[in-house]
Amino acid sequence: MIAIGSDHGGFELKEHIKKYLTEKGIEIKDFGTHSEQSVDYPDCARPVCEAVLKEECERGILICGTGIGISMAANKFKGIRAALCTNVFSAKMAKEHNNANIICLGGRVTGRELAFMIVDAFMDAEFQGGRHAERIKKIHEIEA
Ligand code: RB5
């Protein structure tokens, strides 16, 4: 199960990604928002982060206008490693090296087709562990 959420700036792209992944047979839990009415991105980040932290969902996707605000908010949750990605290589590395558990996108930045490729790269990648695990441990030491 994949958690997805957005604010109004990411709503349209969220709907497209939801449809794209659903058609691929991937189960999606949509935490909103459900319209283009203005909402605050930290409120939208929260339920997705909580679902990932509770392991109700394996990975999360968060979208705001730029992807910046929602990634900042998500990274305040202990245990969340949210990566704002605007290209396929970063999305792959975000999982392989950084073990990102949430990918963030900018609905006003990244076009739909590129966003699909970015999401695919993130979903298909696996964490490589080893030296990368040591580095993530250091992130969590800072967090503590
Ligand atoms: C909302 O207008 C916009 O500020 C938000 O979607 C996001 O881009 C913030 O980082």
Side-chain angles (χ1 to χ4, degrees):
M1 180 76 76
I2 302 300
I4 196 165
S6 76
D7 74 353
H8 55 291
F11 170 71
E12 189 183 343
L13 183 58
K14 172 172 72 67
E15 294 304 299
H16 288 303
I17 291 174
K18 203 169 73 177
K19 184 168 180 281
Y20 175 71
L21 292 178
T22 302
E23 282 172 0
K24 287 181 78 164
I26 295 170
E27 272 195 291
I28 303 292
K29 187 158 184 192
D30 183 0
F31 289 92
T33 192
H34 300 291
S35 77
E36 281 179 358
Q37 194 180 326
S38 184
V39 287
D40 297 333
Y41 55 79
D43 298 334
C44 307
R46 180 184 293 279
V48 169
C49 292
E50 288 174 350
V52 170
L53 289 171
K54 284 186 209 151
E55 298 182 1
E56 288 166 8
C57 295
E58 300 102 62
R59 296 178 198 207
I61 301 169
L62 283 172
I63 313 164
C64 67
T66 58
I68 296 170
I70 211 150
S71 62
M72 286 179 170
N75 278 311
K76 295 297 178 190
F77 287 81
K78 195 173 177 186
I80 291 297
R81 293 173 301 282
L84 170 55
C85 293
T86 55
N87 64 79
V88 170
F89 177 72
S90 295
K92 181 171 156 67
M93 289 301 107
K95 176 47 82 178
E96 289 189 357
H97 287 195
N98 312 114
N99 201 14
N101 43 18
I102 292 186
I103 193 168
C104 301
L105 297 162
R108 296 171 181 159
V109 176
T110 302
R112 186 192 312 177
E113 295 297 330
L114 176 57
F116 294 163
M117 292 169 75
I118 289 171
V119 168
D120 280 342
F122 176 65
M123 300 287 284
D124 293 346
E126 290 302 332
F127 181 48
Q128 289 180 347
R131 68 186 188 282
H132 305 298
E134 290 305 308
R135 291 165 185 162
I136 287 162
K137 204 170 136 218
K138 290 190 180 193
I139 293 179
H140 290 290
E141 282 166 13
I142 294 169
E143 195 175 54

